Amino acid sequence: MSWPPMAASEKGRDIFKLSRDWLSVEEAVAAVGSASCGAISLFIGTTREDQSAGRKVIGLEYEAYEAMVTSELAELCRDVRARWPDVAHICVHHRLGWVPVGEASVVAAVSSPHRQQGQRAVAHLLDGLKAKVPVWKKEVYEDRGASWKENAECAWASCHGNAAALNH
Amino acid sequence: MSWPPMAASEKGRDIFKLSRDWLSVEEAVAAVGSASCGAISLFIGTTREDQSAGRKVIGLEYEAYEAMVTSELAELCRDVRARWPDVAHICVHHRLGWVPVGEASVVAAVSSPHRQQGQRAVAHLLDGLKAKVPVWKKEVYEDRGASWKENAECAWASCHGNAAALNH
């Protein structure tokens, strides 16, 4: 552990947001800021101008099982803190609805006294987010077709009825 | 390599800045943005409310051998691209002069098609920045005393005459 320890009033915070609006990176950075930390590690996931079976992706449409997202994220944060106890604050903002190419669908930020713990924590957080948190995405193509995507990293994706039902 | 490959006009960019002004995270994010990338990995180094031999740090004062910083950063970026060829753009903004507790001294951002390469690239970039790039910091204490700090990770720090001469 580092000096100074966080004051009782500065207990590690977990900050989550699901939003249909543009995500602000500065907001996530401010949310995890701490005088006791020298490092903020971040990851921003953006919609990529991808191609799927010859069709060009123009954007992604995100949906979530919102009631379950928070509890899964809280569980992930407990796991992160057990592995890297020096981690101070953790912020995960996820966008829902339409996210065009180039815009952010997720912003994850972690503050820590030194950089190594924070960088490992962010990588672990993203692995967990992809594997366990119930957020689905639909690729929307230039020809206006669309297809729900299963996340290759997600343990429960193949059991998700909506994903199968909405494939088209 | 991923689809689509970056267009010739979108060759991987290395963007460096040394600045005496507040560093904008949004500016670094915008600098590396690319439609062909789904991931932006970032690191922000901030001044930590540390204590050195019982004296509380209120800020850091940074100086650089500016002519050499750019060539060392360019060399680091070549190394990153050799290890992770999918990396698109790399941005390193470093602040000089007075950086009070809580403010950023360095913002590093890397865009990549997928997150793993970018996260590894940022971690490697920071290791290299600490070890090889000629930037020095002076801790300034509450009692107005100050002390130049050698970077424990830096290969040439103990040979740097200024650092020794300015220790007080």
Side-chain angles (χ1 to χ4, degrees):
Chain A
M1 305 290 259
S2 306
W3 190 96
M6 284 189 293
S9 60
E10 213 205 352
K11 189 170 169 287
R13 291 190 301 271
D14 299 339
I15 304 122
F16 310 136
K17 183 173 79 171
L18 291 172
S19 167
R20 292 187 172 264
D21 300 323
W22 181 84
L23 299 180
S24 160
V25 178
E26 297 283 5
E27 183 187 331
V29 170
V32 300
S34 165
S36 65
C37 291
I40 298 177
S41 304
L42 279 119
F43 177 79
I44 306 168
T46 57
T47 298
R48 190 159 68 93
E49 192 178 70
D50 210 343
Q51 182 157 276
S52 187
R55 302 161 91 192
K56 187 175 166 187
V57 173
I58 58 166
L60 298 170
E61 184 87 32
Y62 283 90
E63 286 193 9
Y65 180 16
E66 299 193 28
M68 214 174 123
V69 166
T70 304
S71 62
E72 288 290 338
L73 285 175
E75 175 61 34
L76 258 177
C77 289
R78 277 191 293 275
D79 183 30
V80 163
R81 293 179 188 288
R83 291 168 188 261
W84 299 283
D86 272 355
V87 158
H89 308 308
I90 302 173
C91 174
V92 180
H93 288 174
H94 207 299
R95 191 160 162 190
L96 299 180
W98 175 244
V99 185
V101 165
E103 294 195 10
S105 53
V106 64
V107 178
V110 169
S111 55
S112 54
H114 303 284
R115 69 183 187 279
Q116 288 87 353
Q117 313 106 320
Q119 287 172 331
R120 287 176 196 140
V122 165
H124 188 74
L125 199 61
L126 264 292
D127 290 345
L129 184 71
K130 298 280 180 181
K132 293 178 185 163
V133 177
V135 178
W136 300 274
K137 66 179 177 186
K138 183 168 70 173
E139 287 185 343
V140 180
Y141 308 110
E142 209 168 26
D143 63 9
R144 298 291 149 184
S147 171
W148 288 94
K149 303 305 287 182
E150 288 193 0
N151 189 330
E153 299 171 60
C154 182
W156 44 256
S158 59
C159 308
H160 178 59
N162 281 347
L166 288 165
N167 258 329
H168 62 278
Chain B
M1 304 290 257
S2 308
W3 187 95
M6 286 188 293
S9 59
E10 212 205 353
K11 189 169 170 288
R13 290 190 302 271
D14 300 339
I15 305 121
F16 310 136
K17 183 172 79 172
L18 291 172
S19 167
R20 295 189 170 261
D21 300 324
W22 181 84
L23 299 180
S24 161
V25 178
E26 297 285 5
E27 182 186 332
V29 170
V32 300
S34 164
S36 65
C37 290
I40 298 176
S41 305
L42 279 118
F43 176 80
I44 306 168
T46 57
T47 298
R48 190 158 68 92
E49 191 178 70
D50 210 344
Q51 182 158 277
S52 187
R55 302 161 90 191
K56 186 173 165 187
V57 173
I58 59 167
L60 298 171
E61 184 86 32
Y62 283 89
E63 285 192 9
Y65 179 17
E66 300 192 29
M68 213 173 124
V69 166
T70 303
S71 63
E72 288 290 338
L73 285 175
E75 176 61 34
L76 258 177
C77 290
R78 277 192 292 275
D79 183 31
V80 163
R81 293 179 188 287
R83 290 168 188 259
W84 298 283
D86 272 354
V87 159
H89 308 307
I90 302 173
C91 173
V92 179
H93 288 175
H94 207 299
R95 192 161 161 187
L96 299 180
W98 176 244
V99 185
V101 165
E103 295 196 9
S105 53
V106 63
V107 178
V110 169
S111 55
S112 54
H114 302 286
R115 70 182 185 281
Q116 288 87 352
Q117 313 105 319
Q119 289 173 329
R120 286 177 197 140
V122 165
H124 188 75
L125 200 60
L126 264 292
D127 289 346
L129 185 69
K130 298 281 179 179
K132 293 177 186 164
V133 177
V135 178
W136 299 274
K137 66 179 176 186
K138 181 168 70 171
E139 287 185 345
V140 179
Y141 309 109
E142 211 168 22
D143 62 9
R144 299 289 150 187
S147 171
W148 286 95
K149 303 306 287 183
E150 287 193 0
N151 189 331
E153 300 172 60
C154 182
W156 43 257
S158 59
C159 309
H160 177 58
N162 281 349
L166 289 165
N167 258 331
H168 60 280

